[in-house]
Amino acid sequence: MAKTLYMVGNWKSNKTLEEAKKWIQKYSCQVKDARVKNVICPPFPYINSLEFPLEVELGAQDVSPFPFGAYTGAVSAAMVSVAVKYAIVGHSERREYFHETHQEVANKAAECMSSQITPIVCIDSPYLKDQITALDPEIYNNLIVAYEPLSAIGSGDPDTPEHADEVSRRVKELTDNSVPVLYGGSVSAGNVADFVSMPNIDGVLVGGKSLDPVEWSDLVQVAYSTITE
Ligand code: PGA
């Protein structure tokens, strides 16, 4: 297998604790290969109360743009760093509903770096250059970018693999050419092979289909088989 494959499931603000525990019981993926990063991002309160199988790593869905301090309600990167290796920052839902700016997202990514968390920075093509140039180049050696076109998120209408690959290539060009780039937006077990087989796409960021443990197991399995065939 030529590349490390990042499979990132974002549960968003879904699931009771009981439902989250059931997900783990029904999870049945047989892929156990260090080159596959199988990352689930549960809501903050569940991060410390769930026991996932060993091959599943944890990510946060967000972090504060500030360090420890008087920032009521904020969860700093340092607080979650004991439990997670990754954190999604700048998801389009955060940018839209919580009015996060490119600079705030860049600050969150910098906070992740200070706490040894790999930020998964979400971007979209119309603002791609501004979103990338807001980031401190010092984080390039521990950064993942996720290209998520707005029209594809939760719509059942994904981007074409060719276009997603072209955007990923541009992201690599704008960074240091070694940053892994993921595609996100209506990814399923039925289409994941088309994306992960593209030369510039290093994995996928999945919302809806990560909520079902059987679908998630299939998704990881299909992606893995595609890359190792
Ligand atoms: P979706 O969401 O897979 O449900 O389209 C993707 C995302 O929001 O990251």
Side-chain angles (χ1 to χ4, degrees), residues 23-100:
W23 187 102
I24 294 173
Q25 279 164 14
K26 290 194 181 148
Y27 168 89
S28 62
C29 187
Q30 295 306 313
V31 176
K32 295 178 178 62
D33 185 320
R35 294 165 300 178
V36 179
K37 307 296 178 194
N38 181 345
V39 182
I40 292 291
C41 306
F44 277 134
Y46 304 160
I47 283 176
N48 282 315
S49 37
L50 293 174
E51 275 189 44
F52 283 90
L54 279 181
E55 71 273 16
V56 177
E57 296 180 293
L58 286 184
Q61 297 175 16
D62 186 33
V63 293
S64 168
F66 302 109
F68 287 114
Y71 307 104
T72 301
V75 177
S76 73
M79 289 173 193
V80 285
S81 65
V82 284
V84 308
K85 280 181 73 174
Y86 302 89
I88 299 169
V89 295
H91 190 282
S92 59
E93 288 152 13
R94 302 281 327 166
R95 295 184 194 257
E96 182 183 354
Y97 302 127
F98 300 87
H99 312 292
E100 290 182 6

Side-chain angles (χ1 to χ4, degrees), residues 8-10 12 88 91-93 122 146 148-149 152-157 183-188 205-211:
V8 183
N10 174 12
K12 307 189 180 181
I88 299 169
H91 190 282
S92 59
E93 288 152 13
C122 300
E148 296 214 307
I153 295 176
S155 64
D157 185 22
Y183 167 73
S186 296
V187 174
S188 67
L205 175 53
V206 181
K209 300 294 186 190
S210 72
L211 293 173

